Amino acid sequence: MNLTQLSEPFKESEIEWRIGRSGKKGGKPDGKIWATCFAYVSNRAIMDRLDEVCGATEWKNEFEPWQVGTDHGVKCGVSIHTNDQWITKYDGANPTNMEPIKGGFSDSMKRAAVQWGMGRYLYSLEEEFVTIVNQKDEGAKYAQYKNKDGTKETYYWTPPTLPVWALPKEKPTVTKVMDTLTEAKDYEAVTKIMGALDKYEFSKEEKKDITECRQNVLKRILPNEFISTSDK
């Protein structure tokens, strides 16, 4: 189990956006609506990441009421079984405006996941303005702006594009992997290269080619007496 993989960037399709600040240009009632947004990881993506890195039976979550003064919310603990012990990290959230119970549970788990590094890199994103679009535009999201007199205006928006550093690295080609392995000068280098491949999905044929290349490299850099049966 390599827990550092928890903090790897998520796919863009696993990132969701929520409106942050909003207002009207010039502060005028008839001004154009503007808004900023922030990114966060979907709860489903968090569960998938935990399954992938830890194994479905090696993590768990728990929820309990959370109160500070008169402020009520939900506290979530995400636990991972590692080194023969369960380690739990907690965080909490207030109920949301829509579906308050479900939203409170969901947001508290997202925040607890950040304690483990999942999606933490998103906090490094600069505040971005959304693009106000027409309702029928592709990818348009619904939102409402509340005027000072209490009336609401509906608008549609699209989020900004994530920067390259906030996206997962593309899977290397088998040729690239084999070239990198061939350049390895010792067993430690081979182990490091193979470990870095754990985050990618390869077909059976690709895995076969990579394994054969690894075996050939080990035969070259290690004396025969130190090559285990599995490496031959």
Side-chain angles (χ1 to χ4, degrees), residues 147-162:
N147 292 299
K148 293 181 180 179
D149 61 5
T151 59
K152 295 181 179 180
E153 291 184 50
T154 297
Y155 65 97
Y156 295 87
W157 60 283
T158 56
T161 302
L162 286 171

Side-chain angles (χ1 to χ4, degrees), residues 117-174:
M118 287 173 277
R120 189 184 299 167
Y121 65 96
L122 295 174
Y123 285 93
S124 298
L125 291 173
E126 295 183 1
E127 185 179 46
E128 295 275 1
F129 286 91
V130 306
T131 301
I132 305 299
V133 298
N134 295 317
Q135 179 180 358
K136 294 183 179 180
D137 286 355
E138 183 178 357
K141 299 178 181 293
Y142 167 90
Q144 285 190 322
Y145 175 77
K146 187 175 182 180
N147 292 299
K148 293 181 180 179
D149 61 5
T151 59
K152 295 181 179 180
E153 291 184 50
T154 297
Y155 65 97
Y156 295 87
W157 60 283
T158 56
T161 302
L162 286 171
V164 174
W165 63 262
L167 295 171
K169 296 179 180 179
E170 294 184 4
K171 186 183 81 171
T173 63
V174 173

